[in-house]
Amino acid sequence: MKIKICISTCKDYSSQTIPLLLSTLEKSNVNLQDVYVFEGGHNKEEMQDKVYKHFFVPHNSFDFTSLIEITEKHIESDYWLLLHDTCKVGENFNEKLNSVALDKDKISLIPHPTLNIVTGK
């Protein structure tokens, strides 16, 4: 099964955050062709097909920008991993990601207090 990575960001911070996150994803051997960046806060929609896919969108819905756009654009994947632009990943990230048992509709790395904020070693 395929896991694609979506990243939510906004135009005010993307030039600082996206290069750092992408560099850590690349160092962990993530295939950047499976990475989709959704950057909110623009006046019009545009998509740039770089090594990764970069969408510029008119709304800024914080963590949900990616999920809204994936749904509205009907972008398909067996699974999606949502990353916020302010995070970075460790060198074993891709190995750990690909070792997750994908036998449920949704998977959380921690059960409480929230499903979208994770810290770890």
Side-chain angles (χ1 to χ4, degrees):
M1 290 193 201
K2 189 77 166 171
I3 301 174
K4 291 182 182 175
I5 297 172
C6 59
I7 301 168
S8 293
T9 189
C10 68
K11 71 177 185 177
D12 292 339
Y13 300 103
S14 63
S15 65
Q16 299 163 15
T17 60
I18 295 302
L20 176 61
L21 176 51
L22 289 175
S23 71
T24 63
L25 287 167
E26 190 171 35
K27 286 178 187 172
S28 75
N29 294 315
V30 166
N31 182 350
L32 294 184
Q33 292 179 345
D34 294 328
V35 175
Y36 292 68
V37 174
F38 296 89
E39 183 175 321
H42 291 273
N43 293 329
K44 63 178 185 169
E45 287 198 26
E46 181 183 344
M47 195 277 276
Q48 293 180 0
D49 198 357
K50 304 174 182 183
V51 174
Y52 61 96
K53 303 227 180 328
H54 197 134
F55 293 85
F56 301 88
V57 300
H59 66 95
N60 184 15
S61 304
F62 303 100
D63 295 352
F64 300 111
T65 301
S66 290
L67 300 179
I68 291 167
E69 290 298 313
I70 287 167
T71 302
E72 289 184 353
K73 291 178 176 22
H74 306 285
I75 303 171
E76 295 196 18
S77 180
D78 294 330
Y79 286 89
W80 285 98
L81 174 66
L82 170 62
L83 296 177
H84 193 271
D85 65 339
T86 59
C87 71
K88 59 184 179 177
V89 302
E91 64 183 46
N92 296 325
F93 170 80
N94 194 44
E95 180 183 328
K96 290 179 181 182
L97 177 62
N98 288 311
S99 69
V100 173
L102 300 175
D103 56 357
K104 299 177 183 163
D105 288 337
K106 62 182 186 220
I107 298 166
S108 173
L109 299 179
I110 58 173
H112 299 288
T114 180
L115 297 177
N116 72 336
I117 299 174
V118 178
T119 60
K121 296 181 181 181

